[in-house]
Amino acid sequence: SSRVVEIQSQMSERAVELLGLPEDRACLLLDVGCGSGLSGDYISEEGHYWIGMDISPAMLDVAVEREVEGDLLLADMGDGIPFRPGMFDGCISISAVQWLCNADKKSHSPPKRLYRFFSTLYTALARGSRAVLQLYPENSEQLELITAQAMRAGFTGGMVVDYPNSAKAKKFFLCLFVGTSGTLPKGLGTECASEEPQQAKFTNERTRFRNVKGKSVKKSRDWILEKKERRRRQGKEVRADTKYTGRKRRPHF
Amino acid sequence: MKLLTHNLLSSHVPGLRPGGGFPLRIEAAEVRVRPVPFNAAFVSRLVPRLRWDALREAAESLGRPSELPPEPSPGYEADEEFLRRLHHVLLEVEVLEGSLQCPDSGRRFPISRGVPNLLLSEDE
């Protein structure tokens, strides 16, 4: 359904945002549980390259039919991430990691499979990179189990929760750092207890500055303010917004 | 499967010695070329990550004469012709049908419709 597609697309966008990738640089990303390639499509739109893994041949067939740009692998993440050390600039996963908690016909227990997944993922990622895993935990025990195995594997970081007060909009992103202890980005909708997912803060006042694509004119004050907000959401250090922000400077010569 | 993926891929069959899962040997029954937009900066930044010998070997095993030098020469970052050739080998050549063989265990992973099947069986 198109609503499902839209939600997947929004979560992919948020996950890539949380990766905090360097600006204007094409990166190599891993998409765990890539399915039919919806999240991969977003990665491609952002100009990055990706390799996807999924356990479902049927979903991957759809991805092949759709001619997604990423390279695909039929694999079980619980068996490990089969790459040489330090190969990826980042990893995202949309609605897949909680499946490792299912005790299915495999003889290995969920904690073992989770640990194998996290430890091999840790190895496959480059130093200073991140893994952002959106998931639907069944309960707090599951959340704790997943987080514990991730920490055991060497990751730092933690859970970013968007819209924690909305039953409908609440989303969990496990945000994991490799080799650095970064600042955990802030969840969306954590400042006000609103039920609706927030639009970009500047929308109402500044519509007249938006161009056809719905984006602010590049380098305008709105663009600068939006960019600073985006960087704050990524957990980066940003100067406070003042009356001087985006002010026209004296021409230098 | 692209040759970039192949160069990064290491067999996850349990119980291998360190490094024993790389490189997987390609047996290709069907190969195709699919154009991909060229990004020089991206290709350039891939070079330090690649295992160059394995890449040349893989390109040759696909029945293509090796267009790559024995080693990336100093200053490759600015050599557009080299980067374009590397881009072609890494991202535009795809193995559609065939298999990958783990060097240490001999275990084969089939490739179908361009997707390698890396699923392990119950007893692995």
Side-chain angles (χ1 to χ4, degrees), chain A residues 59-79:
Chain A
M59 294 285 267
L60 290 174
D61 274 345
V62 176
V64 170
E65 289 297 317
R66 293 177 64 245
E67 297 191 338
V68 296
E69 291 178 39
D71 222 7
L72 304 167
L73 297 169
L74 174 57
D76 179 351
M77 63 176 113
D79 287 338

Side-chain angles (χ1 to χ4, degrees), chain A residues 25 65 71 74 84 87, chain B residues 2 5 45 49 113 118:
Chain A
R25 186 196 277 199
E65 289 297 317
D71 222 7
L74 174 57
R84 291 191 285 112
M87 294 289 100
Chain B
K2 298 179 202 261
T5 304
R45 268 183 295 107
R49 277 178 249 205
R113 299 187 77 199
L118 304 179

Side-chain angles (χ1 to χ4, degrees), chain A residues 99-161:
Chain A
W99 288 108
L100 286 168
C101 296
N102 284 23
D104 56 0
K105 51 188 192 283
K106 291 246 173 185
S107 52
H108 288 153
S109 62
K112 202 160 179 181
R113 282 167 57 73
L114 281 162
Y115 181 72
R116 180 126 179 93
F117 165 65
F118 282 118
S119 56
T120 51
L121 177 61
Y122 187 82
T123 304
L125 288 167
R127 303 295 95 191
S129 68
R130 296 183 195 180
V132 177
L133 316 173
Q134 183 273 328
L135 42 82
Y136 292 112
E138 222 170 270
N139 47 48
S140 58
E141 286 77 38
Q142 216 184 62
L143 209 56
E144 271 175 46
L145 173 62
I146 294 170
T147 317
Q149 296 307 314
M151 299 300 138
R152 226 185 110 208
F155 286 109
T156 54
M159 200 64 78
V160 175
V161 185

